[in-house]
Amino acid sequence: MCGIVGYVGHRSSIDVVLGGLRRLEYRGYDSAGVAVMCGDGVLRTSKKAGKLGVLEAELAAHPLSVGGTGIGHTRWATHGGPTDANAHPHLGDQGRLALIHNGIIENFAELRAELVAAGDTFTSETDTEVAALMVGRLYHETGDLREALRRCVARFEGAYTFLAVHEAEPGRVVGARRNSPLVVGLGDGENFLGSDVAAFVEYTQRAIALGQDQIVDITATSVTVSDFDGREVVAEPFRVAWEAGAADKGGWSSFMRKEVSEQPVAVANTLLGRVNDGDVAIPELTALGDDLLRGIHRIVIIACGTAAYAGMVAKYALESWVRVPVEVELSHEFRYRSPVINADTLVVSVSQSGETMDTLMAVKHARAQGATTISVCNTQGATIPRESDAAIYTHAGPEVAVASTKGFVTQIAALYLLGLHLARVRGTLSSSEREHLTVELLAVPDKIAVVTSEAERVAQLARWMADTRSVLFLGRHVGYPIALEGALKLKELAYIHAEGFAAGELKHGPIALIEPGLPVFVVVPSPRGSSVLHSKVVSNIQEIRARGARVIAIAEAGDAAVLPYADEVLRIPLADPLCEPFMQVVPLQIFALELAHAKGLDVDQPRNLAKSVTVE
Ligand code: G6P
């Protein structure tokens, strides 16, 4: 969690740092702070509980005359509540050193006791202050910020990214990284540090992703990367595919609304260059070799949250196309049992951010057992793709709103591409079947656009239902994970009790929840896919309707069977039944967003959540 920004260069560091924090605020938003070198050579900090706007107001009321060096932090509290005192930066060396941190220092209690015994006084309840005071002490001994940080990290257990500045070394920011992300932006006469590239993409598209256990030392004209033993390492720059401005709201009422509308383009970009002449070839998988992919006997998809639901959707397609068993497991459950994994298991992680700690740990675990690992990820330079044997990027552009939307549909698209790639290599689908499916996939962006263009009707429904206290979602086959995703969106954004169920389970419990007036969304499978499944779901609709539920059906164009029983029918264009989830999810995203709007809630930054869950 937490967003980190650092800057050294010719611009006003406060502007760059606050701009970067604005773009990283989705990582945590309970407090924020900056430390900047001022024109008089003094290092000053300003930090405030609350969203970034509170800090910005404070800085507007008490402006700092800043120079070109600064660091900033936006926090999601772990140790110590969200107060001014616990906000970062924390200070060491009599206030001459400022340090920010993302992660958790697991052995902080022991280190804190050591520092207290040595005479240090703490002003916060955080684990971070331990690091600030320790680096401060070591700076005193070494007179060198990089060396002080290097010696200090050897004492820490856990996950962390640190950035530090010292008054005696203006024009220098030093960072260290273990398990939490840190990316360097390479400018001309200026350099940047950020938790991800969104922090600086406005200024530069050249970047370096710091590796595990590395230290970075930036000035305006130099970037030096070394390992924790102090040996310099060569870091390869990459080009950030995101455009400058992609991480801005662009006139929309919220990032989420913008991202919902970007879904057609995001899916089209994910397909780009991977579908040619009626077949799928993913260039990023070439290095693995077809023999390895032919030898896979099992696929395990690991992910958390919305990404796990994308995996659940893809399971249906992958098993049908590739004819190997596919399991989908939550990363945190996978990691802490004893999964049977071996060299013929393909472990596919799905993570928009590429930083979810549970997923990262699960990938490392799978790799250690000899599995081949493929990462489906949206963020270049992120840790999970770096730790995997191959990566399929989703090319959705930055997703800023905490609740994932374009991340979700592009994850399904990337997993479907993987399925079709495997089906070609393993010969499990004929060329005409593959061609039919690629035509269907290529048609998805326009069909999503049809659904997003009907947003106002869904918005109206959400406004009517603004006082609703509970909503159920039912689905079957690929519609089941869509029902789960619809419920998750509503919980995340509108803080309403919402549950998703497999429609087939209705009579095994959920039907007891039905009472007059209860809204129930039903994701209706296409009758063209399976007339049996379709008629079973229509029967479910009748059963809940008979008990007074208010039924909102999501059904394909022309499906007349639902009309007599549904209070509302939201239509999606005709598509291959396995492609319907791309469209079915859209009204559910819009419903949750608009209902949250109607309740006056912040849809981009829902309470208690953060977009990248980088602590376990
Ligand atoms: C958090 C976010 C979700 C996201 C999940 C997994 O819970 O709020 O929107 O689906 O993390 O994130 P990832 O970056 O791994 O896809």
Side-chain angles (χ1 to χ4, degrees), residues 37-44 65:
M37 286 301 303
C38 292
D40 56 2
V42 176
L43 179 69
R44 291 199 173 81
S65 119

Side-chain angles (χ1 to χ4, degrees), residues 8-81:
V8 187
H10 47 81
R11 300 172 206 265
S12 154
S13 62
I14 199 105
D15 294 345
V16 177
V17 167
L18 287 176
L21 290 182
R22 179 59 71 208
R23 285 176 195 87
L24 295 184
E25 202 184 4
Y26 62 81
R27 301 180 76 94
Y29 34 83
D30 61 38
S31 46
V34 294
V36 284
M37 286 301 303
C38 292
D40 56 2
V42 176
L43 179 69
R44 291 199 173 81
T45 60
S46 181
K47 50 189 201 169
K48 281 284 177 201
K51 291 192 177 172
L52 187 59
V54 180
L55 175 70
E56 286 172 331
E58 166 74 11
L59 286 164
H62 304 102
L64 299 172
S65 119
V66 292
T69 304
I71 58 175
H73 187 266
T74 177
R75 180 168 187 246
W76 188 91
T78 53
H79 290 85

Side-chain angles (χ1 to χ4, degrees), residues 207-517:
I208 292 173
L210 224 59
Q212 180 73 330
D213 291 358
Q214 290 185 343
I215 306 252
V216 63
D217 185 350
I218 67 164
T219 67
T221 53
S222 67
V223 172
T224 311
V225 181
S226 49
D227 62 20
F228 279 6
D229 293 325
R231 284 185 299 257
E232 223 172 280
V233 294
V234 180
E236 279 299 317
F238 64 92
R239 189 157 183 81
V240 180
W242 295 349
E243 297 300 322
D248 293 328
K249 245 186 244 175
W252 290 89
S253 55
S254 63
F255 278 110
M256 185 175 169
R257 191 65 192 80
K258 176 187 175 224
E259 288 157 11
V260 164
S261 76
E262 285 172 346
Q263 292 183 110
V265 175
V267 171
N269 285 343
T270 304
L271 302 177
L272 201 68
R274 292 158 172 173
V275 184
N276 292 304
D277 300 330
D279 232 330
V280 170
I282 304 177
E284 296 91 324
L285 300 185
T286 313
L288 290 181
D290 288 355
D291 283 348
L292 187 144
L293 296 178
R294 273 192 281 268
I296 296 298
H297 284 134
R298 193 163 135 251
I299 298 176
V300 178
I301 299 177
I302 47 174
C304 295
T306 290
Y309 297 147
M312 282 175 72
V313 171
K315 173 187 162 87
Y316 294 85
L318 262 64
E319 284 192 338
S320 156
W321 299 341
V322 190
R323 306 308 304 150
V324 286
V326 179
E327 292 159 41
V328 184
E329 190 155 2
L330 295 167
S331 314
H332 31 90
E333 289 299 320
F334 173 87
R335 171 73 184 85
Y336 290 104
R337 53 185 191 83
S338 191
V340 182
I341 298 291
N342 46 41
D344 55 22
T345 311
L346 174 64
V347 171
V348 182
S349 67
V350 187
S351 174
Q352 187 283 133
S353 63
E355 298 294 347
T356 297
M357 184 58 75
D358 286 310
T359 305
L360 171 62
M361 290 306 170
V363 169
K364 287 187 176 186
H365 185 61
R367 237 181 150 185
Q369 316 285 306
T372 300
T373 53
I374 295 180
S375 151
V376 170
C377 181
N378 189 42
T379 314
Q380 284 174 292
T383 311
I384 295 172
R386 290 171 62 85
E387 295 283 337
S388 304
D389 295 303
I392 306 173
Y393 285 100
T394 45
H395 303 311
E399 191 180 63
V400 177
V402 164
S404 184
T405 53
K406 62 178 180 174
F408 178 70
V409 289
T410 53
Q411 284 161 350
I412 300 173
L415 290 166
Y416 278 19
L417 289 173
L418 172 64
L420 291 173
H421 183 103
L422 291 174
R424 176 179 53 77
V425 169
R426 297 166 67 106
T428 47
L429 287 180
S430 68
S431 58
S432 62
E433 286 169 319
R434 299 200 306 269
E435 191 177 347
H436 160 76
L437 289 164
T438 55
V439 169
E440 284 290 332
L441 263 186
L442 290 169
V444 161
D446 285 347
K447 293 179 186 177
I448 297 179
V450 170
V451 188
T452 54
S453 71
E454 283 159 18
E456 184 43 38
R457 172 138 185 259
V458 184
Q460 208 172 46
L461 201 61
R463 287 192 287 270
W464 289 337
M465 290 165 65
D467 295 332
T468 302
R469 297 175 63 91
S470 181
V471 182
L472 300 188
F473 295 77
L474 298 178
R476 200 162 177 149
H477 195 260
V478 282
Y480 168 42
I482 296 302
L484 296 175
E485 172 63 4
L488 177 62
K489 282 286 155 287
L490 203 55
K491 278 184 252 200
E492 282 180 310
L493 297 172
Y495 320 147
I496 288 177
H497 168 250
E499 300 266 5
F501 295 106
E505 278 293 289
L506 188 67
K507 290 188 274 297
H508 298 288
I511 199 162
L513 295 171
I514 305 292
E515 52 187 28

